[in-house]
């Protein structure tokens, strides 16, 4: 028997569906928040924020991300240049192999030559993939290191700023 949309099966009609919020709890939470916030203004003084250090920190963040992006872009550019070089080499190799295979020879000799070419092409492709992987890994690692160092420095700056504020 299929369930029908009745009062027994529909959550809308259950008494707990419409719970009235506990406004007393809201008021308590709000009062606690206001109390905590008002502690920041002890003796009628607002907490001082060194805007120059905030701007300097943001400038350093921007420079770090700019540097990381440049490192990543340089890696991609190096891979693209290498791919273009490989494409040029492949065309040259293809034309020389085509000439060799079109030369008169026995079927067995041509099959041996094709196997040698296929093996050489596979080994070169694996070597090239490793080379490109190393290039990209190196550039990405450098970019991540720049960002990681900046994040660590940023935490140190925040810690120093809070220490200065606490001393005042």
């Amino acid at each position: 028997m299929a369930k029908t949309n009745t009062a027994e099966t529909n959550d809308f009609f259950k008494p707990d569906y419409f719970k009235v919020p506990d406004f007393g709890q809201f008021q308590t939470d709000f009062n606690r928040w206001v109390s905590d916030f008002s502690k920041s203004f002890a003796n009628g003084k607002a907490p001082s924020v060194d805007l120059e250090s905030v701007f300097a920190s943001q400038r350093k963040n921007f420079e770090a991300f700019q540097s990381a992006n440049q490192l990543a872009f340089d890696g991609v550019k190096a891979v693209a240049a290498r791919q273009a070089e490989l494409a040029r080499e492949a065309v040259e190799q293809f034309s020389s192999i085509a000439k060799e295979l079109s030369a008169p020879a026995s079927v067995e000799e041509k099959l041996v030559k094709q196997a040698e070419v296929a093996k050489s092409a596979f080994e070169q492709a694996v070597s090239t993939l490793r080379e490109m992987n190393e290039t990209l890994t190196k550039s990405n690692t450098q970019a991540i290191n720049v960002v990681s160092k900046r994040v660590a420095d940023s935490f140190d700056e925040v810690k120093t700023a809070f220490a200065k504020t606490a001393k005042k």
Side-chain angles (χ1 to χ4, degrees):
M1 177 179 222
K3 281 189 171 184
T4 59
N5 196 10
T6 64
E8 295 85 31
T9 60
N10 194 336
D11 287 339
F12 181 78
F13 294 106
K14 292 184 179 175
D16 290 343
Y17 189 77
F18 291 107
K19 289 187 178 179
V20 177
D22 183 5
F23 291 107
Q25 183 63 37
F26 287 154
Q27 183 68 33
T28 303
D29 291 343
F30 180 76
N31 288 340
R32 186 175 51 241
W33 179 81
V34 168
S35 174
D36 291 345
F37 184 72
S38 65
K39 289 176 186 174
S40 300
F41 298 95
N43 300 328
K45 295 181 181 176
S48 62
V49 177
D50 183 10
L51 291 178
E52 186 58 38
S53 67
V54 170
F55 289 137
S57 178
Q58 291 303 315
R59 189 172 26 259
K60 290 176 187 175
N61 291 345
F62 179 77
E63 290 168 357
F65 281 111
Q66 185 178 17
S67 175
N69 283 336
Q70 186 62 46
L71 289 168
F73 177 76
D74 289 345
V76 170
K77 191 167 91 174
V79 167
R82 181 69 176 124
Q83 285 178 331
E85 181 183 331
L86 289 170
R88 183 187 50 75
E89 290 174 4
V91 169
E92 290 173 0
Q93 287 177 352
F94 179 75
S95 63
S96 69
I97 290 170
K99 286 179 187 176
E100 290 177 20
L101 292 176
S102 65
S106 70
V107 175
E108 292 82 14
E109 290 174 342
K110 287 186 178 186
L111 287 174
V112 168
K113 182 63 178 171
Q114 286 177 351
E116 290 172 0
V117 167
K119 180 182 177 186
S120 173
F122 177 76
E123 289 171 349
Q124 185 177 4
V126 169
S127 172
T128 301
L129 284 174
R130 283 189 180 126
E131 175 189 343
M132 288 187 199
N133 183 35
E134 289 171 5
T135 301
L136 287 175
T137 300
K138 180 182 173 188
S139 68
N140 287 341
T141 300
Q142 289 172 343
I144 288 170
N145 287 342
V146 168
V147 172
S148 295
K149 183 180 180 327
R150 181 61 205 135
V151 168
D153 291 347
S154 182
F155 280 123
D156 290 342
E157 290 170 4
V158 168
K159 186 171 74 174
T160 303
F162 280 124
K164 286 180 184 176
T165 304
K167 290 179 182 178
K168 290 183 180 181

